[in-house]
Amino acid sequence: MKLLSIVIPAYNVEKYLADAMKPYLEMSDPQRVEVLIVNDGSKDKTLEVARRYEEKLPGIVKVIDKKNGGHGSTINVGIQKATGKYFKVVDGDDWVDTKALEKMLEYMKNINSDMIATAFNMIYEDIQKEEEVHIRNVEYGKEYEFSVICEKIEYIRMHSTIFKTSVLRENKIRLDEHCFYVDVEHDLLPLKWVKTITFYDEVFYQYRLGKSN
């Protein structure tokens, strides 16, 4: 079993996929990761570009081509197809930090929490600004009972969340399709079944904002 499945919802992101895929090309040992690029009926060359990475990293990158169904539909397909112990969504115009990813994988070998929440970086392209977002009022590296900690923490955003794949699949988590802004569904629907959570302070996800298009 892979340690981590990364699902990349991809709709018309041909010019961003190089950034999204760079970390997996740079990793010293990418075999612990599965990258599912879900092409959501793109009208540009997203599928063609994705296939190139599938050829470069066989057994690691898998391309799923489907009719357009919206962001939620790509995540639903990812939940069905993922084989990793943990499940992470990384949008096609965002990426993860390579060193943070490798540290995360080492860390994942020794934990079994239902959910992991990490720090992330907000990158505002229009004003050339970056802002790190850390989860406050928690001890990093410690596993908590979710029922005990949930009232002490702020809302955990999609860019922070990593769920155990079995929590999503066994409880039939399914997001709305043909719909915008399903991030909140992704973040909240699984929480009913999350018993344990670990907080991890590496700045993992790189969230691109302020794009003109």
Side-chain angles (χ1 to χ4, degrees):
M1 175 189 284
K2 301 277 189 175
L3 262 179
L4 177 63
S5 292
I6 293 180
V7 174
I8 300 181
Y11 178 72
N12 292 350
V13 291
E14 62 170 305
K15 70 177 183 178
Y16 298 111
L17 273 180
D19 288 340
M21 298 306 297
K22 185 178 178 182
Y24 317 111
L25 295 170
E26 293 179 339
M27 291 179 69
S28 57
D29 179 18
Q31 296 300 324
R32 294 175 292 178
V33 176
E34 169 185 65
V35 181
L36 303 177
I37 306 175
V38 185
N39 180 52
D40 193 34
S42 295
K43 298 177 181 178
D44 63 0
K45 294 182 179 179
T46 293
L47 179 60
E48 179 182 327
V49 174
R51 293 288 190 205
R52 290 185 206 140
Y53 288 104
E54 188 177 43
E55 292 175 0
K56 288 180 181 179
L57 292 169
I60 297 164
V61 176
K62 300 176 185 177
V63 176
I64 301 168
D65 186 30
K66 59 182 284 299
K67 293 181 179 179
N68 182 264
H71 194 233
S73 74
T74 63
I75 297 172
N76 292 338
V77 170
I79 292 171
Q80 293 172 8
K81 300 294 186 181
T83 64
K85 179 180 178 180
Y86 284 100
F87 182 95
K88 176 66 180 173
V89 176
V90 178
D91 284 338
D93 53 354
D94 297 332
W95 69 98
V96 298
D97 180 82
T98 308
K99 291 182 179 178
L101 172 59
E102 292 184 318
K103 289 180 181 179
M104 169 68 74
L105 291 168
E106 286 299 309
Y107 186 69
M108 280 180 169
K109 291 194 303 186
N110 302 308
I111 64 171
N112 198 41
S113 300
D114 293 333
M115 180 179 177
I116 304 169
T118 75
F120 68 95
N121 194 30
M122 301 176 72
I123 301 170
Y124 297 88
E125 289 197 336
D126 52 350
I127 58 175
Q128 300 295 301
K129 175 185 174 183
E130 296 189 15
E131 178 184 355
E132 291 186 5
V133 179
H134 297 262
I135 300 167
R136 297 179 292 183
N137 304 319
V138 299
E139 182 180 334
Y140 294 102
K142 175 182 176 180
E143 182 178 78
Y144 289 88
E145 293 292 324
F146 187 75
S147 59
V148 172
I149 196 68
C150 64
E151 292 184 359
K152 300 179 182 179
I153 55 177
E154 299 174 348
Y155 171 57
I156 301 173
R157 300 174 63 176
M158 186 174 190
H159 316 96
S160 291
T161 55
I162 300 172
F163 290 106
K164 190 179 283 185
T165 305
S166 59
V167 169
L168 303 176
R169 186 174 292 141
E170 292 172 9
N171 297 293
K172 297 179 172 59
I173 299 301
R174 186 172 178 84
L175 309 188
D176 281 331
E177 302 192 0
H178 299 285
C179 180
F180 291 106
Y181 305 114
V182 295
D183 292 21
V184 175
E185 290 184 347
H186 168 276
D187 299 343
L188 299 184
L189 290 179
L191 294 186
K192 179 179 179 180
W193 293 278
V194 169
K195 305 301 181 186
T196 53
I197 182 171
T198 295
F199 298 93
Y200 186 72
D201 201 34
E202 286 287 333
V203 180
F204 180 65
Y205 195 109
Q206 308 295 313
Y207 175 35
R208 195 194 309 257
L209 300 92
K211 301 183 295 292
S212 60
N213 59 346

PDB file of all heavy atoms in Angstrom, residues 18-45:
ATOM      1  N   ALA A  18       3.223  21.808 -14.531  1.00  0.00           N
ATOM      2  CA  ALA A  18       4.670  21.665 -14.308  1.00  0.00           C
ATOM      3  C   ALA A  18       5.017  21.966 -12.852  1.00  0.00           C
ATOM      4  O   ALA A  18       5.822  21.256 -12.235  1.00  0.00           O
ATOM      5  CB  ALA A  18       5.448  22.581 -15.251  1.00  0.00           C
ATOM      6  N   ASP A  19       4.419  23.015 -12.295  1.00  0.00           N
ATOM      7  CA  ASP A  19       4.642  23.338 -10.877  1.00  0.00           C
ATOM      8  C   ASP A  19       4.040  22.264  -9.979  1.00  0.00           C
ATOM      9  O   ASP A  19       4.646  21.852  -8.980  1.00  0.00           O
ATOM     10  CB  ASP A  19       4.002  24.687 -10.531  1.00  0.00           C
ATOM     11  CG  ASP A  19       4.757  25.870 -11.118  1.00  0.00           C
ATOM     12  OD1 ASP A  19       5.949  25.709 -11.453  1.00  0.00           O
ATOM     13  OD2 ASP A  19       4.151  26.949 -11.251  1.00  0.00           O
ATOM     14  N   ALA A  20       2.841  21.806 -10.332  1.00  0.00           N
ATOM     15  CA  ALA A  20       2.157  20.812  -9.506  1.00  0.00           C
ATOM     16  C   ALA A  20       2.919  19.494  -9.450  1.00  0.00           C
ATOM     17  O   ALA A  20       2.941  18.816  -8.418  1.00  0.00           O
ATOM     18  CB  ALA A  20       0.737  20.578 -10.037  1.00  0.00           C
ATOM     19  N   MET A  21       3.573  19.128 -10.548  1.00  0.00           N
ATOM     20  CA  MET A  21       4.231  17.826 -10.643  1.00  0.00           C
ATOM     21  C   MET A  21       5.705  17.846 -10.268  1.00  0.00           C
ATOM     22  O   MET A  21       6.315  16.796 -10.035  1.00  0.00           O
ATOM     23  CB  MET A  21       4.074  17.288 -12.062  1.00  0.00           C
ATOM     24  CG  MET A  21       2.627  17.056 -12.480  1.00  0.00           C
ATOM     25  SD  MET A  21       1.723  15.988 -11.322  1.00  0.00           S
ATOM     26  CE  MET A  21       2.651  14.472 -11.474  1.00  0.00           C
ATOM     27  N   LYS A  22       6.302  19.014 -10.208  1.00  0.00           N
ATOM     28  CA  LYS A  22       7.733  19.127  -9.918  1.00  0.00           C
ATOM     29  C   LYS A  22       8.165  18.396  -8.635  1.00  0.00           C
ATOM     30  O   LYS A  22       9.213  17.733  -8.627  1.00  0.00           O
ATOM     31  CB  LYS A  22       8.120  20.607  -9.840  1.00  0.00           C
ATOM     32  CG  LYS A  22       9.608  20.847  -9.667  1.00  0.00           C
ATOM     33  CD  LYS A  22       9.909  22.345  -9.649  1.00  0.00           C
ATOM     34  CE  LYS A  22      11.401  22.583  -9.423  1.00  0.00           C
ATOM     35  NZ  LYS A  22      11.708  24.036  -9.365  1.00  0.00           N
ATOM     36  N   PRO A  23       7.401  18.492  -7.552  1.00  0.00           N
ATOM     37  CA  PRO A  23       7.847  17.834  -6.315  1.00  0.00           C
ATOM     38  C   PRO A  23       8.074  16.338  -6.469  1.00  0.00           C
ATOM     39  O   PRO A  23       9.009  15.779  -5.879  1.00  0.00           O
ATOM     40  CB  PRO A  23       6.699  18.116  -5.336  1.00  0.00           C
ATOM     41  CG  PRO A  23       6.035  19.340  -5.864  1.00  0.00           C
ATOM     42  CD  PRO A  23       6.151  19.247  -7.344  1.00  0.00           C
ATOM     43  N   TYR A  24       7.244  15.672  -7.259  1.00  0.00           N
ATOM     44  CA  TYR A  24       7.338  14.210  -7.371  1.00  0.00           C
ATOM     45  C   TYR A  24       8.523  13.809  -8.249  1.00  0.00           C
ATOM     46  O   TYR A  24       9.082  12.721  -8.084  1.00  0.00           O
ATOM     47  CB  TYR A  24       6.012  13.660  -7.899  1.00  0.00           C
ATOM     48  CG  TYR A  24       4.845  14.332  -7.210  1.00  0.00           C
ATOM     49  CD1 TYR A  24       3.998  15.204  -7.900  1.00  0.00           C
ATOM     50  CD2 TYR A  24       4.641  14.165  -5.841  1.00  0.00           C
ATOM     51  CE1 TYR A  24       2.982  15.877  -7.248  1.00  0.00           C
ATOM     52  CE2 TYR A  24       3.625  14.830  -5.184  1.00  0.00           C
ATOM     53  CZ  TYR A  24       2.796  15.699  -5.894  1.00  0.00           C
ATOM     54  OH  TYR A  24       1.797  16.375  -5.243  1.00  0.00           O
ATOM     55  N   LEU A  25       8.914  14.694  -9.150  1.00  0.00           N
ATOM     56  CA  LEU A  25      10.116  14.465  -9.956  1.00  0.00           C
ATOM     57  C   LEU A  25      11.378  14.673  -9.124  1.00  0.00           C
ATOM     58  O   LEU A  25      12.415  14.068  -9.393  1.00  0.00           O
ATOM     59  CB  LEU A  25      10.133  15.399 -11.164  1.00  0.00           C
ATOM     60  CG  LEU A  25       9.024  15.183 -12.205  1.00  0.00           C
ATOM     61  CD1 LEU A  25       9.021  16.335 -13.205  1.00  0.00           C
ATOM     62  CD2 LEU A  25       9.197  13.860 -12.929  1.00  0.00           C
ATOM     63  N   GLU A  26      11.289  15.536  -8.114  1.00  0.00           N
ATOM     64  CA  GLU A  26      12.453  15.883  -7.292  1.00  0.00           C
ATOM     65  C   GLU A  26      12.656  14.942  -6.104  1.00  0.00           C
ATOM     66  O   GLU A  26      13.733  14.928  -5.506  1.00  0.00           O
ATOM     67  CB  GLU A  26      12.310  17.309  -6.760  1.00  0.00           C
ATOM     68  CG  GLU A  26      12.378  18.386  -7.827  1.00  0.00           C
ATOM     69  CD  GLU A  26      12.217  19.784  -7.251  1.00  0.00           C
ATOM     70  OE1 GLU A  26      11.672  19.913  -6.129  1.00  0.00           O
ATOM     71  OE2 GLU A  26      12.634  20.738  -7.912  1.00  0.00           O
ATOM     72  N   MET A  27      11.650  14.168  -5.744  1.00  0.00           N
ATOM     73  CA  MET A  27      11.732  13.326  -4.553  1.00  0.00           C
ATOM     74  C   MET A  27      12.826  12.270  -4.691  1.00  0.00           C
ATOM     75  O   MET A  27      13.055  11.723  -5.764  1.00  0.00           O
ATOM     76  CB  MET A  27      10.394  12.618  -4.313  1.00  0.00           C
ATOM     77  CG  MET A  27       9.270  13.520  -3.888  1.00  0.00           C
ATOM     78  SD  MET A  27       7.730  12.585  -3.675  1.00  0.00           S
ATOM     79  CE  MET A  27       8.140  11.601  -2.222  1.00  0.00           C
ATOM     80  N   SER A  28      13.496  11.972  -3.576  1.00  0.00           N
ATOM     81  CA  SER A  28      14.513  10.922  -3.584  1.00  0.00           C
ATOM     82  C   SER A  28      13.880   9.538  -3.663  1.00  0.00           C
ATOM     83  O   SER A  28      14.464   8.613  -4.242  1.00  0.00           O
ATOM     84  CB  SER A  28      15.382  11.030  -2.331  1.00  0.00           C
ATOM     85  OG  SER A  28      14.580  10.948  -1.156  1.00  0.00           O
ATOM     86  N   ASP A  29      12.679   9.379  -3.083  1.00  0.00           N
ATOM     87  CA  ASP A  29      11.984   8.094  -3.121  1.00  0.00           C
ATOM     88  C   ASP A  29      10.482   8.336  -3.295  1.00  0.00           C
ATOM     89  O   ASP A  29       9.735   8.389  -2.318  1.00  0.00           O
ATOM     90  CB  ASP A  29      12.244   7.297  -1.840  1.00  0.00           C
ATOM     91  CG  ASP A  29      11.512   5.959  -1.842  1.00  0.00           C
ATOM     92  OD1 ASP A  29      11.096   5.507  -2.932  1.00  0.00           O
ATOM     93  OD2 ASP A  29      11.367   5.373  -0.757  1.00  0.00           O
ATOM     94  N   PRO A  30      10.021   8.480  -4.541  1.00  0.00           N
ATOM     95  CA  PRO A  30       8.600   8.763  -4.774  1.00  0.00           C
ATOM     96  C   PRO A  30       7.699   7.538  -4.689  1.00  0.00           C
ATOM     97  O   PRO A  30       6.480   7.658  -4.832  1.00  0.00           O
ATOM     98  CB  PRO A  30       8.602   9.324  -6.198  1.00  0.00           C
ATOM     99  CG  PRO A  30       9.761   8.662  -6.864  1.00  0.00           C
ATOM    100  CD  PRO A  30      10.799   8.486  -5.797  1.00  0.00           C
ATOM    101  N   GLN A  31       8.257   6.353  -4.426  1.00  0.00           N
ATOM    102  CA  GLN A  31       7.464   5.130  -4.483  1.00  0.00           C
ATOM    103  C   GLN A  31       6.392   5.048  -3.400  1.00  0.00           C
ATOM    104  O   GLN A  31       5.448   4.268  -3.513  1.00  0.00           O
ATOM    105  CB  GLN A  31       8.384   3.903  -4.379  1.00  0.00           C
ATOM    106  CG  GLN A  31       9.360   3.760  -5.534  1.00  0.00           C
ATOM    107  CD  GLN A  31       8.660   3.612  -6.884  1.00  0.00           C
ATOM    108  OE1 GLN A  31       7.608   2.989  -6.971  1.00  0.00           O
ATOM    109  NE2 GLN A  31       9.248   4.187  -7.925  1.00  0.00           N
ATOM    110  N   ARG A  32       6.540   5.847  -2.354  1.00  0.00           N
ATOM    111  CA  ARG A  32       5.537   5.809  -1.280  1.00  0.00           C
ATOM    112  C   ARG A  32       4.314   6.658  -1.597  1.00  0.00           C
ATOM    113  O   ARG A  32       3.348   6.679  -0.837  1.00  0.00           O
ATOM    114  CB  ARG A  32       6.177   6.282   0.028  1.00  0.00           C
ATOM    115  CG  ARG A  32       7.257   5.356   0.545  1.00  0.00           C
ATOM    116  CD  ARG A  32       7.949   5.920   1.761  1.00  0.00           C
ATOM    117  NE  ARG A  32       8.752   7.096   1.438  1.00  0.00           N
ATOM    118  CZ  ARG A  32       9.436   7.796   2.331  1.00  0.00           C
ATOM    119  NH1 ARG A  32       9.411   7.438   3.609  1.00  0.00           N
ATOM    120  NH2 ARG A  32      10.145   8.844   1.969  1.00  0.00           N
ATOM    121  N   VAL A  33       4.359   7.369  -2.731  1.00  0.00           N
ATOM    122  CA  VAL A  33       3.293   8.301  -3.101  1.00  0.00           C
ATOM    123  C   VAL A  33       2.571   7.811  -4.348  1.00  0.00           C
ATOM    124  O   VAL A  33       3.174   7.253  -5.261  1.00  0.00           O
ATOM    125  CB  VAL A  33       3.867   9.715  -3.373  1.00  0.00           C
ATOM    126  CG1 VAL A  33       2.780  10.660  -3.846  1.00  0.00           C
ATOM    127  CG2 VAL A  33       4.519  10.265  -2.131  1.00  0.00           C
ATOM    128  N   GLU A  34       1.267   8.045  -4.368  1.00  0.00           N
ATOM    129  CA  GLU A  34       0.454   7.836  -5.560  1.00  0.00           C
ATOM    130  C   GLU A  34      -0.148   9.184  -5.941  1.00  0.00           C
ATOM    131  O   GLU A  34      -0.726   9.865  -5.093  1.00  0.00           O
ATOM    132  CB  GLU A  34      -0.659   6.844  -5.234  1.00  0.00           C
ATOM    133  CG  GLU A  34      -1.730   6.717  -6.291  1.00  0.00           C
ATOM    134  CD  GLU A  34      -2.847   5.809  -5.832  1.00  0.00           C
ATOM    135  OE1 GLU A  34      -3.552   6.168  -4.859  1.00  0.00           O
ATOM    136  OE2 GLU A  34      -3.017   4.741  -6.435  1.00  0.00           O
ATOM    137  N   VAL A  35       0.013   9.585  -7.200  1.00  0.00           N
ATOM    138  CA  VAL A  35      -0.517  10.861  -7.669  1.00  0.00           C
ATOM    139  C   VAL A  35      -1.583  10.571  -8.724  1.00  0.00           C
ATOM    140  O   VAL A  35      -1.280  10.044  -9.796  1.00  0.00           O
ATOM    141  CB  VAL A  35       0.594  11.751  -8.264  1.00  0.00           C
ATOM    142  CG1 VAL A  35       0.008  13.095  -8.718  1.00  0.00           C
ATOM    143  CG2 VAL A  35       1.707  11.972  -7.240  1.00  0.00           C
ATOM    144  N   LEU A  36      -2.819  10.904  -8.403  1.00  0.00           N
ATOM    145  CA  LEU A  36      -3.937  10.703  -9.320  1.00  0.00           C
ATOM    146  C   LEU A  36      -4.323  12.045  -9.929  1.00  0.00           C
ATOM    147  O   LEU A  36      -4.850  12.918  -9.229  1.00  0.00           O
ATOM    148  CB  LEU A  36      -5.140  10.105  -8.588  1.00  0.00           C
ATOM    149  CG  LEU A  36      -4.924   8.783  -7.859  1.00  0.00           C
ATOM    150  CD1 LEU A  36      -6.204   8.368  -7.127  1.00  0.00           C
ATOM    151  CD2 LEU A  36      -4.476   7.700  -8.818  1.00  0.00           C
ATOM    152  N   ILE A  37      -4.019  12.231 -11.203  1.00  0.00           N
ATOM    153  CA  ILE A  37      -4.436  13.451 -11.900  1.00  0.00           C
ATOM    154  C   ILE A  37      -5.797  13.167 -12.529  1.00  0.00           C
ATOM    155  O   ILE A  37      -5.908  12.319 -13.415  1.00  0.00           O
ATOM    156  CB  ILE A  37      -3.428  13.860 -12.991  1.00  0.00           C
ATOM    157  CG1 ILE A  37      -2.022  13.986 -12.421  1.00  0.00           C
ATOM    158  CG2 ILE A  37      -3.869  15.171 -13.646  1.00  0.00           C
ATOM    159  CD1 ILE A  37      -0.949  14.276 -13.471  1.00  0.00           C
ATOM    160  N   VAL A  38      -6.822  13.874 -12.051  1.00  0.00           N
ATOM    161  CA  VAL A  38      -8.182  13.641 -12.552  1.00  0.00           C
ATOM    162  C   VAL A  38      -8.540  14.764 -13.512  1.00  0.00           C
ATOM    163  O   VAL A  38      -8.843  15.892 -13.088  1.00  0.00           O
ATOM    164  CB  VAL A  38      -9.200  13.558 -11.396  1.00  0.00           C
ATOM    165  CG1 VAL A  38     -10.586  13.193 -11.945  1.00  0.00           C
ATOM    166  CG2 VAL A  38      -8.756  12.518 -10.366  1.00  0.00           C
ATOM    167  N   ASN A  39      -8.481  14.472 -14.797  1.00  0.00           N
ATOM    168  CA  ASN A  39      -8.810  15.470 -15.809  1.00  0.00           C
ATOM    169  C   ASN A  39     -10.326  15.579 -15.937  1.00  0.00           C
ATOM    170  O   ASN A  39     -11.013  14.630 -16.318  1.00  0.00           O
ATOM    171  CB  ASN A  39      -8.200  15.082 -17.157  1.00  0.00           C
ATOM    172  CG  ASN A  39      -8.534  16.098 -18.229  1.00  0.00           C
ATOM    173  OD1 ASN A  39      -8.314  17.289 -18.047  1.00  0.00           O
ATOM    174  ND2 ASN A  39      -9.103  15.635 -19.332  1.00  0.00           N
ATOM    175  N   ASP A  40     -10.843  16.771 -15.635  1.00  0.00           N
ATOM    176  CA  ASP A  40     -12.288  16.975 -15.564  1.00  0.00           C
ATOM    177  C   ASP A  40     -12.825  17.586 -16.865  1.00  0.00           C
ATOM    178  O   ASP A  40     -13.419  18.666 -16.867  1.00  0.00           O
ATOM    179  CB  ASP A  40     -12.613  17.877 -14.372  1.00  0.00           C
ATOM    180  CG  ASP A  40     -14.093  17.882 -14.022  1.00  0.00           C
ATOM    181  OD1 ASP A  40     -14.750  16.835 -14.172  1.00  0.00           O
ATOM    182  OD2 ASP A  40     -14.600  18.949 -13.601  1.00  0.00           O
ATOM    183  N   GLY A  41     -12.582  16.885 -17.974  1.00  0.00           N
ATOM    184  CA  GLY A  41     -13.090  17.366 -19.255  1.00  0.00           C
ATOM    185  C   GLY A  41     -12.459  18.660 -19.716  1.00  0.00           C
ATOM    186  O   GLY A  41     -13.120  19.519 -20.306  1.00  0.00           O
ATOM    187  N   SER A  42     -11.154  18.815 -19.482  1.00  0.00           N
ATOM    188  CA  SER A  42     -10.464  20.053 -19.859  1.00  0.00           C
ATOM    189  C   SER A  42     -10.563  20.307 -21.362  1.00  0.00           C
ATOM    190  O   SER A  42     -10.589  19.379 -22.171  1.00  0.00           O
ATOM    191  CB  SER A  42      -8.986  19.972 -19.465  1.00  0.00           C
ATOM    192  OG  SER A  42      -8.834  19.902 -18.069  1.00  0.00           O
ATOM    193  N   LYS A  43     -10.572  21.595 -21.717  1.00  0.00           N
ATOM    194  CA  LYS A  43     -10.649  21.998 -23.120  1.00  0.00           C
ATOM    195  C   LYS A  43      -9.290  22.444 -23.660  1.00  0.00           C
ATOM    196  O   LYS A  43      -9.178  22.778 -24.838  1.00  0.00           O
ATOM    197  CB  LYS A  43     -11.677  23.118 -23.282  1.00  0.00           C
ATOM    198  CG  LYS A  43     -13.087  22.673 -22.894  1.00  0.00           C
ATOM    199  CD  LYS A  43     -14.082  23.816 -22.985  1.00  0.00           C
ATOM    200  CE  LYS A  43     -15.480  23.364 -22.575  1.00  0.00           C
ATOM    201  NZ  LYS A  43     -16.463  24.477 -22.610  1.00  0.00           N
ATOM    202  N   ASP A  44      -8.285  22.481 -22.794  1.00  0.00           N
ATOM    203  CA  ASP A  44      -6.942  22.830 -23.248  1.00  0.00           C
ATOM    204  C   ASP A  44      -6.113  21.541 -23.332  1.00  0.00           C
ATOM    205  O   ASP A  44      -6.663  20.462 -23.546  1.00  0.00           O
ATOM    206  CB  ASP A  44      -6.310  23.869 -22.321  1.00  0.00           C
ATOM    207  CG  ASP A  44      -6.123  23.358 -20.903  1.00  0.00           C
ATOM    208  OD1 ASP A  44      -6.488  22.191 -20.633  1.00  0.00           O
ATOM    209  OD2 ASP A  44      -5.599  24.106 -20.063  1.00  0.00           O
ATOM    210  N   LYS A  45      -4.809  21.613 -23.137  1.00  0.00           N
ATOM    211  CA  LYS A  45      -3.948  20.443 -23.278  1.00  0.00           C
ATOM    212  C   LYS A  45      -3.609  19.783 -21.939  1.00  0.00           C
ATOM    213  O   LYS A  45      -2.605  19.083 -21.818  1.00  0.00           O
ATOM    214  CB  LYS A  45      -2.664  20.842 -24.010  1.00  0.00           C
ATOM    215  CG  LYS A  45      -2.899  21.273 -25.452  1.00  0.00           C
ATOM    216  CD  LYS A  45      -1.589  21.610 -26.145  1.00  0.00           C
ATOM    217  CE  LYS A  45      -1.825  22.026 -27.595  1.00  0.00           C
ATOM    218  NZ  LYS A  45      -0.554  22.384 -28.291  1.00  0.00           N
TER     219      LYS A  45
END
